[in-house]
Each structure stands twice: as structure tokens, then as C-alpha cells.
Amino acid sequence: ERLELFILQGRVMLNLPIEKFVGGMHKHQVELFQAFDQRLEAKTTVPQFFDLEWHRRARKTTAAINLLIRESARVPNSKYVYIAPTQVMARNIVWDDPNMLKAYLPKEIGVVLNEQKMLVRFDNGSMLKIGGADNPDSLRGIDAIGVVFDEWALIKEMTWTEIFRPIIAGVMPPHLQYLDVFRWVMFLYTPKGINHASVMFDKACCLEDGGKLPVCGESMKMRPNWFASRLDAELAGIIPEDELLRAKEDMPKVFYDQEMRCSRITSEEMTLITSEMLYGWKDTTRSHARRSWKNAGLFRSILLLAVTFARLWDLRTAGLSHTNQSGINTRLRLSFWRRKCWHRKLIPKIL
């Protein structure tokens, strides 16, 4: 899965990515590089897109950085860009980490590092820019050949649709038109609910056209010029099983499913009391409501819509909202004073 390069500057023959990365590649990283190289061999000139919905610690950033380095060294006088949600995150994830960018730069060729701008200059005239998307307008006008969006679910969608999509659609510079090169974009993320990242991935997998979300690995059906891969930590085999068991014990289930199993967790599923819990309470406690709230005249018409815990004077206040059959909405505020211990009796019955 390595591409042998002949670097004219210095007359150096070397293999990229370097052995440090290649020796530890897992099969899903191999699939990614194979998909990229197949497009090179086909001599395509159409922009290509790679969408990776991988679990945490699947080494998606490591794979992307090595691909950026390889292409920067292979294609002369070109520019490649790595983008994180913020400039600070870009520095922490890639630039300052001794096991990331600087660990994979080949020592056989000369590179110049600009610490302030987080810019790598190669001997062949190419540049690799590391940056953040917290100021999207500062990224306009970059004639990038390859772009990586890391933590794509946390980046503003307009950074792609308004800034880099027109760039990727541009004509290849004249000095590159006779080389095996195409413009490309890679999206890396672990799901963060349902947003632009998950919607893009679903489109890449052709979910609206008979495709299916991949359980673990490359999608069986993909849009033209797209590559889509999804990894579930329990199936990918990257993180040891005993460590996953410990993580499952330490993490709330919704976060474990999101971070390790790439589940699209909704905002409601992360709340203390979900609508499913409320409807279950409505069905199972109607008899209790008849006994306890008969004097209030609520037992014939109650439809519980929400329970909102607030911090008021006593720090133990809940708001209950219900609507009766006549459409009249009533709001109750229940104060749970410690000395009366109402919260100990009512909350379990609500849940």
C-alpha cells in the first residue's frame, strides 16, 4: 500500500508513507489507501470524496496525515490543507503532538516547518497547511488540491459548501494537468447526533436509493466518485475487547454508543427524562393519578408534556405542564422542600 516516489530535489528514492505508519496499518486504513490509489491508477481527473465515520481511536487522523504528506511529496508545487474545528484543536491534535505530523515526515527529504503559521514546505515546492475553521473566511482563496476536514461533525457546514466546494470544482493548475493527480476531499468524524455530517454520509451510501448504512467497513453502494466507510469499535477489531468492556462500564450508555459504536444519538436521548419515559409514566401511573390528584380534578384529562427541573429559591423545583381534553394548558410548580421530603416520593413515581 506504499507508493514509491522519486523526488527530483536531492535525487532521493523513498517509500511513502514511511515504515512507521505502514507497519501498523489496520485493514480499514489499507482499504482507504487502496481506494485512493485505484483512482490514481484510473487516471481520473474528476474530484474525489472520502467520508469516514469511524469510532474514537480508530486512527483516522493518522491515516489522513500520512496521505497528505505522501501527496505533498509526490505532487510538485501544490497545496494541501488539514482543517480542524478550531486553530487550537489543529495545533493540539496534529502540530504539537510528537506522535503525529512531525513523526511521519520523511527525514530523507528537506522540509521547512513554520511554527507560527503551522505550515510545512517541501523541497518540491509543495505546502501542507494545518489550520482551524473557527474563522472560515480566512480560508477563502486557497487553491488546494487535497483537503481534510477532521472532526467534520463539529465544523460549520458552510466551510465546505461555501468555501472549499467551489475550490475543489476548479480546473487543475496547468503544471499539474499532465500528472496523475486529482482534487480530493476527506471528511473524518465520529457522530455527534444527526447533523450535516451524518446526512452527508447517508447520501454517500445512497440510503435514498436502496443503499444501506454499513455495519462495519466500506459501504456496499456509494455515490459516483465517493468512498464511504463506517467503523463500529466492537466489530472493527482495533481496540482490545477488554478495554471496550471497561469503557462500557465507565461511560454512560448513550455516550459509549456514540463514541465507540458510531450511533447517531439524538439530543433527547441525552436528556434526564425522555418522552418515552413520560409516556410510559402516563400509561402505568394513571391509577396513582386518580388516587393522588382526585381533588385537583386532573385525573380525567392529564397529558404530561414535559418535566423541567429548575434551580429556584429552594434549588428543588420541578415544572409540570399538562393539557386537558378542552385544550386548556395548566402549569404547576412543585417545590420539594428537604424537610417535607416530597422529592423522595414523587420523583420515583414520575420516573
Side-chain angles (χ1 to χ4, degrees):
E1 314 315 323
R2 300 187 300 186
L3 180 64
E4 191 173 63
L5 304 180
F6 181 63
I7 308 301
L8 294 179
Q9 293 81 357
R11 303 289 179 179
V12 179
M13 286 290 288
L14 73 157
N15 288 317
L16 287 177
I18 65 174
E19 181 62 31
K20 179 178 179 179
F21 170 69
V22 174
M25 291 178 74
H26 58 69
K27 65 178 183 179
H28 305 289
Q29 291 173 322
V30 172
E31 287 178 357
L32 172 63
F33 273 75
Q34 285 178 338
F36 193 97
D37 291 345
Q38 286 170 3
R39 288 157 170 79
L40 285 179
E41 294 170 2
K43 300 186 182 300
T44 182
T45 58
V46 180
Q48 301 295 309
F49 308 93
F50 303 84
D51 203 343
L52 308 184
E53 185 179 274
W54 288 6
H55 63 81
R56 295 295 177 193
R57 313 314 302 167
R59 304 185 72 216
K60 48 189 177 289
T61 303
T62 305
I65 286 297
N66 276 276
L67 184 59
L68 285 169
I69 293 173
R70 190 192 77 171
E71 292 303 290
S72 297
R74 186 180 73 87
V75 184
N77 300 308
S78 57
K79 191 163 189 177
Y80 292 85
V81 185
Y82 167 93
I83 300 174
T86 67
Q87 193 82 354
V88 173
M89 290 180 68
R91 179 172 289 276
N92 290 339
I93 296 171
V94 171
W95 193 266
D96 288 344
D97 190 335
N99 297 312
M100 287 300 294
L101 174 67
K102 297 173 185 177
Y104 295 109
L105 288 170
K107 297 179 174 60
E108 294 86 352
I109 60 175
V111 294
V112 178
L113 304 180
N114 187 317
E115 289 285 342
Q116 183 177 0
K117 294 182 178 180
M118 291 196 290
L119 183 68
V120 183
R121 294 183 181 272
F122 292 78
D123 278 352
N124 64 353
S126 292
M127 295 186 298
L128 171 55
K129 170 65 178 174
I130 309 299
D134 38 354
N135 183 13
D137 288 334
S138 66
L139 301 171
R140 295 183 185 274
I142 300 177
D143 189 16
I145 303 300
V147 182
V148 171
F149 289 99
D150 202 357
E151 298 293 351
W152 167 231
L154 305 180
I155 296 176
K156 294 178 181 178
E157 186 178 14
M158 58 86 62
T159 308
W160 161 241
T161 57
E162 297 182 20
I163 298 176
F164 280 100
R165 188 60 186 95
I167 293 173
I168 296 300
V171 177
M172 192 70 68
H175 69 283
L176 299 180
Q177 291 181 1
Y178 300 100
L179 300 178
D180 293 335
V181 59
F182 51 81
R183 293 187 189 269
W184 57 274
V185 184
M186 186 174 293
F187 303 93
L188 315 175
Y189 75 103
T190 300
K192 190 75 174 178
I194 298 175
N195 56 18
H196 61 278
S198 59
V199 170
M200 175 184 284
F201 190 85
D202 292 349
K203 290 181 179 179
C205 296
C206 301
L207 259 60
E208 297 180 353
D209 190 27
K212 295 182 179 180
L213 199 65
V215 176
C216 188
E218 182 179 347
S219 178
M220 297 298 294
K221 185 175 183 179
M222 292 175 278
R223 293 174 63 187
N225 307 313
W226 280 76
F227 172 86
S229 174
R230 180 173 178 267
L231 296 187
D232 179 337
E234 294 188 359
L235 301 175
I238 300 171
I239 301 177
E241 293 184 8
D242 56 345
E243 183 56 36
L244 287 175
L245 290 175
R246 286 191 290 268
K248 186 180 293 187
E249 292 175 356
D250 296 339
M251 299 171 64
K253 184 179 185 305
V254 290
F255 287 107
Y256 176 86
D257 289 344
Q258 174 179 272
E259 302 298 310
M260 295 302 185
R261 307 211 64 187
C262 286
S263 299
R264 280 85 175 276
I265 305 300
T266 63
S267 299
E268 185 193 10
E269 290 178 281
M270 293 190 179
T271 59
L272 176 64
I273 301 174
T274 66
S275 59
E276 182 179 357
M277 296 165 63
L278 295 178
Y279 281 111
W281 172 80
K282 174 178 176 290
D283 294 335
T284 57
T285 61
R286 186 174 298 276
S287 59
H288 171 75
R290 288 194 179 96
R291 294 194 305 270
S292 302
W293 294 357
K294 183 176 181 179
N295 294 334
L298 301 176
F299 69 95
R300 294 181 182 274
S301 59
I302 185 166
L303 173 61
L304 191 59
L305 299 180
V307 177
T308 304
F309 288 92
R311 294 175 63 87
L312 297 180
W313 295 106
D314 56 8
L315 304 182
R316 295 175 181 82
T317 301
L320 298 180
S321 175
H322 71 90
T323 303
N324 62 20
Q325 294 176 351
S326 300
I328 300 175
N329 181 272
T330 304
R331 295 180 181 274
L332 302 177
R333 193 186 75 179
L334 305 178
S335 297
F336 307 127
W337 294 92
R338 183 187 297 272
R339 57 187 176 84
K340 293 184 179 181
C341 300
W342 287 4
H343 60 292
R344 296 180 184 175
K345 298 178 180 179
L346 183 60
I347 295 301
K349 292 175 181 177
I350 291 179
L351 300 180

